[in-house]
Amino acid sequence: MKTIRIAIDPQAIDQAGIAHAAGILRAGGLVAMPTETVYGLAGNALDERAVAAIFQAKGRPTTDPLIVHVADLADLSTICATPMPAHFATLTSHFWPGPLTLLVPKHPQLSDLITAGHTTVAVRMPAHPVATALIRASGVPLVAPSANLFSRPSPTSAHHVLHDLAGRIDAVIDAGPTQVGVESTILDITTPQARILRQGGVTRAQIEAVIGPVTIHSQHAAHDTAVMAPGLLLKHYSPRTPLRLYRGPIADVQQAIVAFCQSHPQMRIAWLGYTHDAHVAATLGVQFVSLGDISDDESVAHHLFEGLRAVDLLQADVIVTSEPLGDGVAAAVRDRLFRAAEGRVIEAPATN
Ligand code: TXA
Ligand code: MG
């Protein structure tokens, strides 16, 4: 299959391009589309064959359920069972369209393939004009997992999508890089106390400001296909190169990475660091990719998956990186780095 690229400027949407992509979707095909978080691999949620094809294209196990994307609240009538959980209306009025996915009871008629047999379905209204236009033109809700091969970093550009899925899907809409850079936050509102199953573009503090205390479901659940959000397996977002993740105060982390580089002169090391690390890496003669200013959470999130892919392409023996410390979307970045490191974290020793 040849994957076609449909370029669409989000500022001046070409309706012919959207109509073309919508036609592919209505015929049961797969189209990668931009959202504000990452690119998604879209298919008609009401077409079981299209849903099955998504799992095939990604190499994703069918135990890992999909998010249904809508453009209007009315689109949920064939997706969710009524009544909606408490908090649904409040949360959607605050955060939709936007990077918040809600777990709600599924409609009895909705395909079990989408929900992997769960009684809940994950729903979201993306805040991207191209995604909105595509859903409306298709006239159906769209299932869309991140448009990467299973367990690889999520794609934040059409280039990333093609790298993973060229020849496996019908089309990709290229609308430039995505804005947020990490996936949506997944919030389960079917339990007495709402709980975050995946940290993402909307922070815990933002949610708590609207509905009060929420818990964060253990990030360590791992290696078990029966966990609540099966996509939260530890081995996720993995570069092919082994990755050493450092944690601690900025100066201690930098010192620990320098010590590692100096004590492994025979190793090809690639450093996925921050602006303040660049000159140190240059002095050491170590290959370097920057995630930007460590104190700018939004910018680090925006650059994360691009950085992970770029540093992996250097084909080093090992990648060294460290966590951002902020309490905004940096929490989601720490979660993704933790999974990229398959759950191994190195605490940097205090330097003084
Ligand atoms: O930002 C995003 O959410 C992106 C864009 C494309 O919308 N989508 C995305 O989808 O990240 P995906 O499939 O890569 O991740 C969805 C996660 C998976 O970890 C899956 O296990 C979880 O959502 N999920 C979906 N339905 C679920 C359900 N009924 N119960 C528990 N977890 C669910
Ligand atoms: Mg994914």
Side-chain angles (χ1 to χ4, degrees):
M1 166 191 309
K2 171 138 173 53
T3 303
I4 62 168
R5 178 177 160 279
I6 303 171
I8 296 184
D9 176 354
Q11 250 82 76
I13 293 181
D14 165 29
Q15 289 301 334
I18 292 288
H20 185 181
I24 295 172
L25 288 167
R26 273 197 306 272
L30 305 185
V31 177
M33 67 171 178
T35 79
E36 79 280 32
T37 56
V38 301
Y39 275 72
L41 179 57
N44 178 356
L46 307 180
D47 178 346
E48 181 110 354
R49 297 223 326 266
V51 177
I54 286 180
F55 287 97
Q56 268 267 305
K58 278 181 60 90
R60 174 175 173 132
T62 51
T63 48
D64 195 358
L66 305 178
I67 299 173
V68 179
H69 295 63
V70 297
D72 301 280
L73 285 172
D75 300 345
L76 291 172
S77 62
T78 53
I79 305 298
C80 314
T82 46
M84 288 305 226
H87 297 322
F88 179 83
T90 316
L91 287 164
T92 53
S93 74
H94 274 85
F95 297 110
W96 279 15
L100 179 68
T101 294
L102 295 171
L103 235 62
V104 298
K106 84 179 262 288
H107 192 284
Q109 238 83 87
L110 186 74
S111 161
D112 285 324
L113 200 50
I114 293 175
T115 61
H118 291 254
T119 54
T120 55
V121 58
V123 291
R124 124 168 169 84
M125 187 186 287
H128 194 294
V130 172
T132 305
L134 184 63
I135 298 166
R136 291 202 177 126
S138 307
V140 289
L142 300 177
V143 275
S146 51
N148 50 284
L149 284 174
F150 183 64
S151 93
R152 305 283 298 147
S154 292
T156 55
S157 73
H159 178 74
H160 298 162
V161 174
L162 289 170
H163 180 271
D164 279 18
L165 299 176
R168 303 171 74 94
I169 62 176
D170 296 287
V172 55
I173 298 180
D174 186 349
T178 63
Q179 191 200 335
V180 179
V182 293
E183 304 87 339
S184 61
T185 301
I186 301 180
L187 185 69
D188 181 1
I189 53 172
T190 65
T191 46
Q193 181 169 44
R195 44 188 208 153
I196 294 175
L197 299 185
R198 177 177 74 184
Q199 301 190 74
V202 173
T203 65
R204 177 188 198 168
Q206 287 173 313
I207 294 169
E208 291 188 328
V210 173
I211 61 165
V214 299
T215 57
I216 296 188
H217 193 64
S218 167
Q219 310 181 353
H220 305 257
H223 298 311
D224 175 359
T225 47
V227 293
M228 254 326 271
L232 299 186
L233 291 174
L234 262 185
K235 186 173 166 54
H236 213 81
Y237 310 105
S238 308
R240 297 186 202 279
T241 318
L243 184 142
R244 292 174 66 86
L245 173 61
Y246 289 80
R247 173 180 292 164
I250 292 176
D252 295 351
V253 162
Q254 192 183 65
Q255 187 47 48
I257 291 177
V258 168
F260 177 79
C261 294
Q262 287 173 337
S263 58
H264 294 83
Q266 79 292 357
M267 242 188 202
R268 282 177 307 138
I269 300 170
W271 188 346
L272 179 63
Y274 301 89
T275 311
H276 67 274
D277 297 316
H279 71 285
V280 183
T283 309
L284 289 168
V286 164
Q287 288 185 293
F288 185 75
V289 173
S290 180
L291 293 175
D293 177 351
I294 193 166
S295 61
D296 184 342
D297 283 11
E298 272 81 29
S299 168
V300 171
H302 176 82
H303 290 109
L304 176 68
F305 290 134
E306 167 84 45
L308 269 174
R309 282 174 182 262
V311 78
D312 202 17
L313 287 173
L314 297 175
Q315 302 197 306
D317 298 319
V318 64
I319 296 166
V320 291
T321 190
S322 62
E323 295 181 338
L325 305 172
D327 46 32
V329 72
V333 173
R334 287 192 290 274
D335 169 77
R336 304 307 185 269
L337 286 174
F338 182 76
R339 292 174 206 291
E342 296 180 34
R344 290 182 295 267
V345 182
I346 301 157
E347 301 279 347
T351 43
N352 51 30

